[in-house]
Amino acid sequence: MLSRSIASHCVSAHRNPLTFRHVRLGGYDRIRIDSGADNKGRGSTASPGWRRSSLSVTPRITTFPCPGCQHDIDLGERGISMLFRNFTLESIVERYRQAARAAVAIMCSACKPPAQEATKSCMDCKASYCNECFKMNHPWGTPKAQHEYVGPTLNFRPKVLMCPEHEMEKVNMYCEVCRRPVCHLCKLGGSHANHKVTSMSNAYKILKEKLSKSIHYLISKEDQVRAQISALDVLINQTEDNGELAERQVNEHFERLFSILQDRRAEMLQSITQSKTQRVEKLRAQVEEYQGMLENSGLVGYAQEVLKETDQSCFVQTAKQLHTRIQKATESVKTFHPSADPTFTDFVLDVSKEESLLKELCFGNAVPQPPIIDRSQSCLYNKGLICWQLPGNSSPTDRQELEYRKVVAGERGEEAARWQSSEGVYGPSAVVSNLDNDSAYSFRVRTYRSGICGPFSPEVTFHTPPAPVFGFLFNEKCGFSPDRLVLSKPRDSVESVAGLPFLLAAERVQAGTYVSLDHIIGDTGISQGRHFWAFRVEASSYMVKVGVVSDSKLQDWFHSPRDTSSPRYDHDSGHDSGSEDASYEVSQPFMLLAVGMGRLFIPKAAGDPGNRMLAMPRRVGVCLDYEQSRVSFYDADTMRCLYERQVECSGIMYPAFGLMGGGAVHLDKLVADRRLKYPMADH
């Protein structure tokens, strides 16, 4: 059974041979799978299996799904060249290829036309020869006479397996930790130096014994496997029958709902028709009455004829009743009021509750509950990270679907933008790309369980920043003070620690001296364009200054004595000396805004002194426009501009931070992702 399965797989591989190629297209490493059957007459396509970290720029990482275990394998910097060739599988495939090519001869590659049929293939020359050509190309007494030859073949594999890390070394050991062949250099000083290894012969014996036992077990359980296949066939039939039954039941339920709606519609339309008929009749009667008031018609015409009566007794007899009618008509003209209401406000139908119930129509407990988008974990740049959570009592789901659309202002409002979908999301978050700057986007998400789709979550709207994201990490080399600042390993967080060095520095404080801020900058600078970045300042921070600084100002910060300057004249002392306010009108090569103790402080000259303190946003955003020499500070959650001013953009500008007395700054994940690799899928 197993041998027949392998045979059929390998014959299929012969009919549609697959070629794996490592190519580089548009800055991406891809594993291209070319099929001889599918690529005739058209270009090859990229395998859907390759992927690259969505936001990673450096280092270059390539992964490929293993066809055996279905897990993504990191190919490393050298890509597919780091993988071993599977010579065993090649040999199996070649055996079935030879069986399939039994009727097709392999021709000699050295003969002059017409070529003769090959009788041998040289594994060293990687060519096939007839008897005469083989003798001519491998004369006795020469090194070529020692070449290894086999029967005619097109599969020329190396004689020995070489180490992919040390290309000139043969593999002669087996790493039990990594479960792969290695060479002696790998064990001596390479990546397997501290791993347990065994000899190749011992590994061969053990693995062959294990494989033989496993194959023997499968063969001995053939009847059990057949019984399980039969059980699965029964389940397939039951699934089809039950699915058709469920479809019929759903159709019946909806038909009953449609029937109820049609009956109610007919009743309501009949009520509207009856009311409309009655009102129209009343209004038409009123029209006839008013038409009689016109000259030479109706009441007025009759009254004019009565006035012509000369017999006094006859006139008095008729005029009394006529005068009463004339008075009523006159009063009706003075106080005109339609006899019927033309509006149908009492017939307006409110179906909002019913629409909500219909939207929530589901299969009971089988339908997954809608997720809840987590605003605190989500953030938007030109790429957006959207996170959500399932309700606490929800069962696990199979996958999620995220939809988003741009909120367009105009007559049609949000209807002007179409929903775009990111399907196949298998985690609690997703990354969407190609978002426009300074735009609002709405998001909603729903889940699937056992093929059943749940309702969408409530829509949540986010606003993208006014400029593309600027990626950087904290620079641990330029002016960084390891005594008072603690940097995280990936360099995306920094913390100010008031430890013993800080206390010793404070002991030296005398009149006219002070302890300054500890500055740290980004590891990437800006020399042109418009850029935005965001970060989170710990709510418990005492003082953190955030903003930008030029490379010329950095020389003053990091190369001047710390404890001898007066805070009155140092713009970056961290003291409320007023120096920042005094120099507001003068464009400086830096701009730092003070944040701390749950507040964000605006310089005095920027506006009303009474409104200097704002509540500290959960995330603070900074936008630098290099050409316009302007820096702006934002509430990064709502994208509301809190403060902006001119800054002297001379040379290279860096994101800058200053910390004092305990505090921490954490870069947004999408800011650090430009320099770090995070396991997020790009859609």
Side-chain angles (χ1 to χ4, degrees):
M1 181 73 179
L2 181 63
S3 61
R4 287 198 299 270
S5 174
I6 295 177
S8 121
H9 174 75
C10 295
V11 170
S12 173
H14 164 66
R15 293 172 182 167
N16 298 291
L18 300 180
T19 304
F20 293 81
R21 300 180 184 175
H22 188 199
V23 297
R24 183 164 179 85
L25 298 174
Y28 292 87
D29 285 329
R30 304 186 177 188
I31 306 301
R32 191 175 71 187
I33 303 179
D34 296 335
S35 171
D38 297 338
N39 294 339
K40 293 179 180 179
R42 61 182 176 85
S44 63
T45 58
S47 164
W50 75 271
R51 70 175 176 84
R52 184 189 183 207
S53 176
S54 58
L55 300 177
S56 175
V57 175
T58 57
R60 176 169 54 87
I61 302 297
T62 308
T63 59
F64 186 76
C66 174
C69 63
Q70 302 301 322
H71 286 82
D72 286 343
I73 304 302
D74 185 358
L75 298 182
E77 288 292 332
R78 297 177 58 189
I80 199 173
S81 61
M82 288 295 295
L83 300 179
F84 286 110
R85 287 179 60 182
N86 193 332
F87 294 131
T88 303
L89 181 59
E90 287 184 11
S91 299
I92 296 174
V93 173
E94 180 60 23
R95 288 203 297 269
Y96 286 96
R97 280 180 174 174
Q98 290 179 357
R101 288 197 302 263
V104 180
I106 297 177
M107 308 309 293
C108 177
S109 57
C111 281
K112 295 182 179 179
Q116 300 295 318
E117 183 176 345
T119 59
K120 298 180 180 67
S121 292
C122 179
M123 301 304 291
D124 296 277
C125 299
K126 294 182 173 55
S128 298
Y129 303 97
C130 63
N131 286 330
E132 295 298 327
C133 291
F134 184 81
K135 294 177 181 178
M136 291 178 58
N137 287 274
H138 299 78
W140 288 104
T142 64
K144 284 191 174 183
Q146 305 300 321
H147 284 188
E148 177 187 359
Y149 64 91
V150 296
T153 182
L154 295 177
N155 181 32
F156 301 101
R157 76 178 195 181
K159 293 182 179 180
V160 293
L161 189 62
M162 307 302 290
C163 177
E165 296 184 16
H166 308 96
E167 298 177 354
M168 302 303 295
E169 298 294 330
K170 302 176 183 179
V171 294
N172 51 12
M173 291 180 286
Y174 182 80
C175 178
E176 296 183 357
V177 177
C178 302
R179 297 182 180 180
R180 60 178 296 175
V182 296
C183 69
H184 69 283
L185 292 181
C186 293
K187 175 59 179 173
L188 290 177
S191 56
H192 306 270
N194 298 321
H195 294 180
K196 183 179 179 181
V197 298
T198 185
S199 64
M200 192 64 70
S201 59
N202 188 40
Y204 169 81
K205 180 180 178 181
I206 295 175
L207 292 176
K208 189 171 185 178
E209 183 179 353
K210 288 182 178 179
L211 183 59
S212 299
K213 289 182 179 179
S214 300
I215 294 174
H216 178 72
Y217 176 82
L218 288 178
I219 295 175
S220 65
K221 297 296 181 179
E222 183 172 347
D223 293 338
Q224 182 178 346
V225 172
R226 290 183 182 276
Q228 292 173 350
I229 292 175
S230 300
L232 291 174
D233 289 336
V234 172
L235 291 177
I236 290 174
N237 294 331
Q238 291 179 353
T239 302
E240 292 177 347
D241 295 340
N242 292 336
E244 293 175 357
L245 176 61
E247 290 178 356
R248 289 196 300 270
Q249 291 176 345
V250 168
N251 284 328
E252 291 174 0
H253 289 316
F254 274 93
E255 288 295 336
R256 285 198 294 269
L257 290 176
F258 294 155
S259 177
I260 294 173
L261 287 174
Q262 289 175 353
D263 293 342
R264 291 298 297 158
R265 182 178 65 176
E267 293 174 2
M268 292 182 174
L269 290 178
Q270 184 179 3
S271 299
I272 294 175
T273 301
Q274 291 176 353
S275 178
K276 180 181 68 175
T277 302
Q278 294 175 0
R279 297 184 188 193
V280 169
E281 290 177 355
K282 290 181 181 180
L283 290 172
R284 285 177 177 172
Q286 190 176 14
V287 169
E288 293 179 358
E289 179 183 351
Y290 274 66
Q291 284 179 345
M293 300 179 191
L294 300 177
E295 188 177 2
N296 300 323
S297 64
L299 181 61
V300 175
Y302 176 64
Q304 289 176 341
E305 293 297 328
V306 170
L307 289 174
K308 297 178 182 179
E309 178 62 50
T310 57
D311 189 317
Q312 294 181 355
S313 58
C314 292
F315 177 80
V316 171
Q317 181 184 10
T318 305
K320 183 176 181 181
Q321 295 180 349
L322 181 60
H323 184 260
T324 302
R325 293 175 60 189
I326 292 294
Q327 284 182 327
K328 290 182 179 180
T330 303
E331 187 66 24
S332 177
V333 171
K334 290 181 179 179
T335 59
F336 174 75
H337 183 72
S339 58
D341 185 4
T343 64
F344 281 75
T345 55
D346 49 342
F347 287 90
V348 174
L349 188 62
D350 182 11
V351 294
S352 57
K353 185 184 298 183
E354 288 75 10
E355 287 181 355
S356 177
L357 291 174
L358 288 175
K359 289 179 180 179
E360 296 176 359
L361 195 64
C362 60
F363 292 101
N365 295 331
V367 175
Q369 300 182 31
I372 301 174
I373 295 180
D374 190 348
R375 283 184 172 273
S376 63
Q377 298 296 326
S378 304
C379 56
L380 242 65
Y381 290 87
N382 50 329
K383 291 186 177 182
L385 171 63
I386 307 301
C387 303
W388 56 83
Q389 297 177 349
L390 295 175
N393 57 348
S394 296
S395 302
T397 58
D398 298 334
R399 62 185 176 90
Q400 290 79 34
E401 178 185 5
L402 176 68
E403 287 192 349
Y404 61 98
R405 65 177 177 180
K406 186 176 181 180
V407 179
V408 180
E411 296 180 357
R412 297 180 61 186
E414 296 183 7
E415 296 180 359
R418 282 185 170 183
W419 287 104
Q420 301 181 55
S421 178
S422 297
E423 298 182 355
V425 180
Y426 297 97
S429 64
V431 175
V432 294
S433 305
N434 302 321
L435 302 179
D436 296 334
N437 296 325
D438 199 14
S439 302
Y441 285 86
S442 291
F443 294 86
R444 63 184 186 182
V445 64
R446 61 181 177 183
T447 58
Y448 289 80
R449 184 189 300 124
S450 301
I452 300 175
C453 173
F456 277 107
S457 66
E459 293 182 26
V460 176
T461 301
F462 295 93
H463 203 287
T464 57
V469 59
F470 179 67
F472 66 92
L473 299 173
F474 288 116
N475 192 335
E476 82 281 16
K477 297 179 180 179
C478 184
F480 173 67
S481 175
D483 293 337
R484 291 186 291 272
L485 295 180
V486 177
L487 198 58
S488 64
K489 186 174 181 180
R491 295 190 290 122
D492 58 351
S493 297
V494 63
E495 181 181 3
S496 174
V497 180
L500 184 60
F502 190 86
L503 182 62
L504 294 176
E507 186 183 9
R508 298 194 300 270
V509 174
Q510 303 294 331
T513 64
Y514 69 101
V515 180
S516 68
L517 289 165
D518 292 307
H519 291 100
I520 189 170
I521 63 172
D523 62 354
T524 306
I526 299 172
S527 58
Q528 62 179 355
R530 198 162 179 246
H531 305 274
F532 180 91
W533 60 93
F535 47 87
R536 181 170 57 88
V537 177
E538 287 285 355
S540 59
S541 300
Y542 174 69
M543 173 178 285
V544 177
K545 286 206 169 187
V546 298
V548 295
V549 62
S550 69
D551 52 357
S552 60
K553 186 63 178 177
L554 290 177
Q555 302 296 324
D556 299 336
W557 281 2
F558 297 142
H559 297 286
S560 60
R562 281 185 172 271
D563 301 325
T564 58
S565 302
S566 169
R568 168 59 60 180
Y569 299 105
D570 189 343
H571 302 304
D572 312 304
S573 65
H575 294 261
D576 190 13
S577 60
S579 58
E580 294 94 335
D581 305 329
S583 62
Y584 175 79
E585 300 297 335
V586 181
S587 181
Q588 298 286 338
F590 70 97
M591 175 58 208
L592 295 175
L593 209 61
V595 181
M597 302 178 67
R599 296 288 186 270
L600 185 145
F601 300 90
I602 304 298
K604 291 180 181 179
D608 184 4
N611 295 328
R612 291 191 62 200
M613 289 192 301
L614 303 176
M616 184 175 69
R618 189 182 67 88
R619 293 166 54 239
V620 180
V622 180
C623 180
L624 176 64
D625 191 331
Y626 193 92
E627 280 73 22
Q628 297 295 326
S629 298
R630 196 162 193 84
V631 61
S632 306
F633 297 85
Y634 288 82
D635 180 339
D637 286 332
T638 63
M639 289 303 159
R640 179 173 64 94
C641 184
L642 305 175
Y643 172 66
E644 62 179 4
R645 65 157 293 173
Q646 294 295 122
V647 63
E648 181 185 334
C649 292
S650 57
I652 301 177
M653 306 295 291
Y654 291 89
F657 304 84
L659 297 89
M660 173 186 284
V665 179
H666 309 280
L667 297 180
D668 262 9
K669 184 175 290 187
L670 290 179
V671 172
D673 274 348
R674 301 298 297 271
R675 303 294 302 278
L676 293 173
K677 178 182 179 295
Y678 282 87
M680 296 189 298
D682 191 4
H683 298 276

